[in-house]
């Protein structure tokens, strides 16, 4: 005899065999005992939770020759015919393939004829949300006032797609995901009857993978039995399903905690060589840290004990992380998981996410990468960050010197004040002004004269491909470049205009500029150089036809009014803060 799938072999034939839906079973059994049956039911819930099974059990119970009662007898001709699927008075319809108005009209025309083999004609419509609007309209009147002894049972996983007029004419039952303990008990019971030795840890692992669906759990069990034989261990279940044991994620969590980036990358490389998918690893890592966070914040919660097999091991790991750092880890993983959905390089994003976690710290903590000494790891911002920091320090030193000079020798009232001395942030009237924006030094006349060349039109047509390529190569550079807009070209140069000075200056950094030019070469099929300009400079050059933006000239301007010496000190404190202002008296 051909093999029969476990989920078909072990489909419940009594209400008492159904697991996880006791609230529905009790209601239906009381209705059968008291004769308070409805003409229409709506069964809603996740896949594999027993909607179709209970629909068939209800059809047997209302047509049982010994009933109707709380349970069908499973011995009379009606029960046996319904179990075998040969009873034409109980019709199961797949709405996904019979969704049109003609099928519903045909069903409506046939149901008016009496059928003497069973007391009730039962129509089970599975995936009812797939019916068209016209089909629902054709079903509406019949569903409201059906012929005598006709019962409808509608089953769906998406009740929000069913018209409210249909739902209001049915008794609605919401099926729940089957609890882990009940699902594990059912799996162990099936294995005992099948002569299979199933470890409890393996049953818990299978139940977690099924996400509360009994049919999915039995299908996984059937597949694992074919792989392992009559003895199933936890390791066998993990290996067969392509999953990753929790101990492996404990290793990665330890590397993240210690900031050991090298070992973390080796861990990822080993998993990829084993054929694991990066998106599945990201999902499992997110769930692992979710469990650690739950154990740390709400120990003993049922939501924790349902997922975690070894509570003691998770508690030991949770004690090594602060709550703030765990929250930060969850945010980073969730962000990169969303980015991974649109990326063609999921492994790269997974590696970047883990590297960021290795350098992530909660407020008040400092994470030093294990591969570096403390002295080498001090500038955590990297070479570009160190350069900007040194530049900022030199600028602050210059401002302090200028301020000290002004305090020692304040200019007399009415004397001219050089405009260069006001570049520290002061307007002629003594008021703070916006910092000067570095103007472009490139010659714009060639770009203005060339105008809309054929090469520039090619750049504009493929600019979206350029942005996509930059995002794939380095997502941080894409965040700066997306602010720019190609405005002209000259020979092998593409001019991009920016509205934000910060975005333009960051794009001009050699490492970032190299990434963009490499993508331009690939997309356009020829070597291309990148040039940048501020949008207002480009508009000025277009309107005036000027070739090159002239640098600012230092001019002497007449000071309108000069504050007193005490007012200079107050203005300096407002501009730079008390920590940076030092008053020296000669």
């Amino acid at each position: 005899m051909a093999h029969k799938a476990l989920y078909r072999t072990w489909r419940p034939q009594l209400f008492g065999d159904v697991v996880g839906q006791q609230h529905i079973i009790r209601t239906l059994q009381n209705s059968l005992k008291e004769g308070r049956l409805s003409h229409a039911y709506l069964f809603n819930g996740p896949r594999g939770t027993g909607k179709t099974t209970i629909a068939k059990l209800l059809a047997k119970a209302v047509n049982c020759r010994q009933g109707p009662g709380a349970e069908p007898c499973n011995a009379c001709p009606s029960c046996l015919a319904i179990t075998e699927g040969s009873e034409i008075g109980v019709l199961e319809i797949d709405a996904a393939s019979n969704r049109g108005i003609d099928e519903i009209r045909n069903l409506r025309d046939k149901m008016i004829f009496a059928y003497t083999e069973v007391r009730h004609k039962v129509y089970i419509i599975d995936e009812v949300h797939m019916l068209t609007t016209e089909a629902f309209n054709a079903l509406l009147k019949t569903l409201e006032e059906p012929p005598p002894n006709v019962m409808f049972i509608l089953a769906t996983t998406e009740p929000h797609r069913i018209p409210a007029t249909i739902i209001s004419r049915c008794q609605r039952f919401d099926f729940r995901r089957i609890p882990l303990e009940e699902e594990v008990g059912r799996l162990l019971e099936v294995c005992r009857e099948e002569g299979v030795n199933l470890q409890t840890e393996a049953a818990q692992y299978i139940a977690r993978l099924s996400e509360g669906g009994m049919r999915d759990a039995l299908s996984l069990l059937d597949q694992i039995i074919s792989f392992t034989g009559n003895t199933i261990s936890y390791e066998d279940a993990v290996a067969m399903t392509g999953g990753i044991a929790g101990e492996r994620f404990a290793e990665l969590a330890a590397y993240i905690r210690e900031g050991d980036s090298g070992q973390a990358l080796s861990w990822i490389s080993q998993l990829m060589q084993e054929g694991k998918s990066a998106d599945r690893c990201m999902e499992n890592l997110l769930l692992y840290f979710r469990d650690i966070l739950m154990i740390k914040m709400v120990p003993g919660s049922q939501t924790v004990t349902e997922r975690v097999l070894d509570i003691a091991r998770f508690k030991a790991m949770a004690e090594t992380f602060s709550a703030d750092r765990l929250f930060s880890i969850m945010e980073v993983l969730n962000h990169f998981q969303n980015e991974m959905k649109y990326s063609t390089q999921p492994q790269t994003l997974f590696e970047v996410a883990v590297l960021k976690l290795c350098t992530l710290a909660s407020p008040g903590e400092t994470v030093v990468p294990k591969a570096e000494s403390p002295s080498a790891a001090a500038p955590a911002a990297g070479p570009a960050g160190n350069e900007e920091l040194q530049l900022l320090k030199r600028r602050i030193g210059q401002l302090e010197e200028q301020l000290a000079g002004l305090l020692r020798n304040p200019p007399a009232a009415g004397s001219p004040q050089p405009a260069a001395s006001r570049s520290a942030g002061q307007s002629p009237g003594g008021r703070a002004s916006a910092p000067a924006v570095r103007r472009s030094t490139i010659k714009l006349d060639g770009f203005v004269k060339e105008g809309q060349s054929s090469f520039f039109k090619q750049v504009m047509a493929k600019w979206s491909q350029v942005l996509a390529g930059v995002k794939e190569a380095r997502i941080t550079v894409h965040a700066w470049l997306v602010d720019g807009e190609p405005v002209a070209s000259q020979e092998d140069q593409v001019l991009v205009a920016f509205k934000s000075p910060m975005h333009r200056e960051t794009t001009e950094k050699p490492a970032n500029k190299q990434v963009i030019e490499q993508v331009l070469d690939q997309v356009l099929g020829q070597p291309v150089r990148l040039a940048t300009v501020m949008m207002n400079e480009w508009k000025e050059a277009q309107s005036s036809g000027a070739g090159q933006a002239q640098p600012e000239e230092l001019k002497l301007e007449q000071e309108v009014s000069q504050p007193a010496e005490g007012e200079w000190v107050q203005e300096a404190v407002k501009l730079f803060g008390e920590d940076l202002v030092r008053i020296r008296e000669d």
Side-chain angles (χ1 to χ4, degrees):
M1 182 179 295
H3 172 72
K4 193 175 182 180
L6 284 181
Y7 79 88
R8 295 180 59 198
T9 304
W10 290 92
R11 183 188 292 272
Q13 300 301 323
L14 295 171
F15 285 114
D17 295 336
V18 179
V19 295
Q21 311 297 344
Q22 299 307 316
H23 62 296
I24 297 175
I25 298 301
R26 182 177 178 180
T27 305
L28 293 178
Q29 286 183 327
N30 289 339
S31 299
L32 288 166
K33 292 176 184 178
E34 300 173 4
R36 300 175 60 88
L37 295 172
S38 175
H39 67 280
Y41 293 91
L42 174 62
F43 290 170
N44 154 61
R47 69 180 190 277
T49 52
K51 297 185 295 296
T52 306
T53 297
I54 293 181
K56 290 183 177 180
L57 288 175
L58 182 58
K60 283 199 297 185
V62 298
N63 289 306
C64 180
R65 301 286 178 87
Q66 308 298 327
E71 294 282 5
C73 69
N74 286 327
C76 66
S78 296
C79 290
L80 293 176
I82 295 174
T83 301
E84 296 172 358
S86 59
E87 177 56 64
I88 63 174
V90 176
L91 184 61
E92 185 175 356
I93 303 170
D94 178 23
S97 55
N98 298 276
R99 60 193 305 262
I101 188 173
D102 293 334
E103 289 82 357
I104 298 301
R105 284 176 176 172
N106 186 34
L107 177 70
R108 185 183 60 187
D109 294 339
K110 290 181 179 179
M111 71 176 60
I112 62 175
F113 298 104
Y115 185 68
T116 58
E117 294 295 328
V118 292
R119 288 192 296 267
H120 288 79
K121 296 179 68 174
V122 181
Y123 293 91
I124 302 173
I125 306 179
D126 200 10
E127 300 298 333
V128 70
H129 63 271
M130 297 295 290
L131 292 179
T132 62
T133 303
E134 294 77 9
F136 275 123
N137 293 335
L139 181 64
L140 182 60
K141 186 62 176 177
T142 305
L143 195 64
E144 182 178 13
E145 298 177 359
N149 301 326
V150 173
M151 179 184 293
F152 288 94
I153 303 177
L154 314 180
T156 181
T157 56
E158 302 181 32
H160 58 278
R161 296 176 59 180
I162 302 177
T165 52
I166 297 290
I167 296 177
S168 64
R169 287 162 171 80
C170 302
Q171 284 192 10
R172 176 171 173 172
F173 290 90
D174 293 327
F175 284 64
R176 306 168 183 170
R177 295 187 184 276
I178 301 174
L180 185 71
E181 294 180 359
E182 297 187 32
E183 199 167 353
V184 169
R186 181 65 171 174
L187 290 174
L188 294 174
E189 178 186 355
V190 169
C191 287
R192 281 195 301 269
E193 296 294 333
E194 292 286 335
V196 177
N197 182 18
L198 175 64
Q199 290 185 0
T200 304
E201 292 79 6
Q204 291 174 334
Y205 177 77
I206 295 172
R208 287 203 309 273
L209 285 184
S210 67
E211 298 181 347
M214 195 70 239
R215 182 178 63 235
D216 292 353
L218 289 174
S219 297
L220 283 172
L221 177 62
D222 202 359
Q223 185 179 2
I224 295 171
I225 291 174
S226 300
F227 172 71
T228 61
N230 293 332
T231 301
I232 302 176
S233 64
Y234 174 71
E235 291 76 14
D236 291 335
V238 172
M240 179 58 203
T241 57
I244 305 172
E247 294 79 4
R248 303 288 298 276
F249 285 106
E251 296 175 4
L252 180 58
Y255 298 147
I256 292 174
R257 180 191 60 211
E258 300 297 332
D260 196 342
S261 304
Q263 289 292 340
L265 289 179
S266 298
W267 185 93
I268 295 174
S269 177
Q270 183 179 358
L271 281 187
M272 296 301 106
Q273 291 177 1
E274 294 175 3
K276 312 298 183 185
S277 61
D279 52 351
R280 185 70 178 271
C281 291
M282 178 76 80
E283 179 184 358
N284 289 341
L285 183 61
L286 184 61
L287 292 175
Y288 179 84
F289 277 106
R290 174 261 184 197
D291 294 338
I292 292 180
L293 181 62
M294 289 295 177
I295 288 177
K296 189 174 188 66
M297 303 298 294
V298 282
S301 172
Q302 184 179 359
T303 58
V304 175
T305 57
E306 283 188 355
R307 290 186 51 84
V308 179
L309 300 180
D310 192 348
I311 297 291
R313 186 181 302 171
F314 272 75
K315 283 184 178 179
M317 181 63 70
E319 291 175 356
T320 62
F321 286 91
S322 66
D324 290 336
R325 189 175 183 188
L326 287 175
F327 281 120
S328 301
I329 288 173
M330 296 288 289
E331 291 176 359
V332 171
L333 290 176
N334 183 65
H335 167 74
F336 279 95
Q337 187 182 34
N338 292 332
E339 290 289 333
M340 192 177 288
K341 297 176 183 177
Y342 311 103
S343 174
T344 58
Q345 298 292 333
Q347 179 180 344
T348 302
L349 281 183
F350 185 44
E351 292 171 344
V352 171
V354 172
L355 288 177
K356 186 168 185 178
L357 295 183
C358 289
T359 59
L360 190 65
S362 60
E365 295 181 348
T366 302
V367 175
V368 179
K370 189 175 181 180
E372 300 178 357
S373 62
S375 60
N386 293 336
E387 182 181 349
E388 294 179 358
L389 183 60
Q390 295 300 326
L391 180 61
L392 182 60
K393 288 182 178 180
R394 289 197 299 269
R395 184 61 178 157
I396 292 176
Q398 294 173 1
L399 292 175
E400 288 179 342
E401 292 178 2
Q402 292 179 4
L403 179 62
L406 290 174
L407 292 176
R408 287 194 300 268
N409 301 309
S415 63
Q417 182 181 359
S421 66
R422 294 196 300 270
S423 63
Q426 192 172 10
S427 62
R431 296 182 302 274
S433 61
V437 177
R438 181 173 63 88
R439 295 181 64 86
S440 173
T441 58
I442 65 172
K443 295 182 178 181
L444 301 178
D445 54 349
F447 291 101
V448 174
K449 291 178 180 178
E450 187 161 342
Q452 302 293 326
S453 64
S454 59
F455 176 64
F456 177 70
K457 293 178 181 178
Q458 182 183 1
V459 172
M460 291 297 296
K462 296 184 178 181
W463 185 247
S464 59
Q465 300 179 27
V466 173
L467 292 177
V470 173
K471 185 176 182 180
E472 180 180 344
R474 190 174 300 174
I475 193 171
T476 53
V477 180
H478 172 268
W480 303 111
L481 181 62
V482 76
D483 180 67
E485 176 186 348
V487 292
S489 66
Q490 181 184 7
E491 297 178 353
D492 63 341
Q493 277 188 311
V494 174
L495 183 64
V496 179
F498 289 84
K499 298 178 182 178
S500 168
M502 181 176 63
H503 288 200
R504 172 174 174 257
E505 292 174 3
T506 308
T507 306
E508 280 282 2
K509 291 181 179 179
N512 298 342
K513 190 174 182 179
Q514 182 180 4
V515 172
I516 299 171
E517 289 180 345
Q518 289 176 352
V519 175
L520 284 169
D521 296 350
Q522 296 173 1
V523 174
L524 299 176
Q526 65 182 66
V528 180
R529 291 181 297 157
L530 176 69
T532 63
V533 70
M534 293 303 298
M535 183 63 75
N536 56 354
E537 294 182 52
W538 172 248
K539 291 181 178 179
E540 291 176 5
Q542 278 186 313
S543 60
S544 61
Q548 179 180 4
Q550 299 296 329
E552 282 188 285
E553 296 181 2
L554 297 180
K555 297 181 180 180
L556 296 179
E557 299 179 359
Q558 183 70 26
E559 185 66 39
V560 179
S561 62
Q562 179 64 38
E565 182 175 353
E567 296 181 2
W568 278 107
V569 176
Q570 295 178 3
E571 289 292 331
V573 171
K574 290 180 181 178
L575 287 174
F576 309 108
E578 296 180 354
D579 296 337
L580 296 178
V581 175
R582 299 290 185 271
I583 302 175
R584 298 177 183 175
E585 296 183 1
D586 294 337

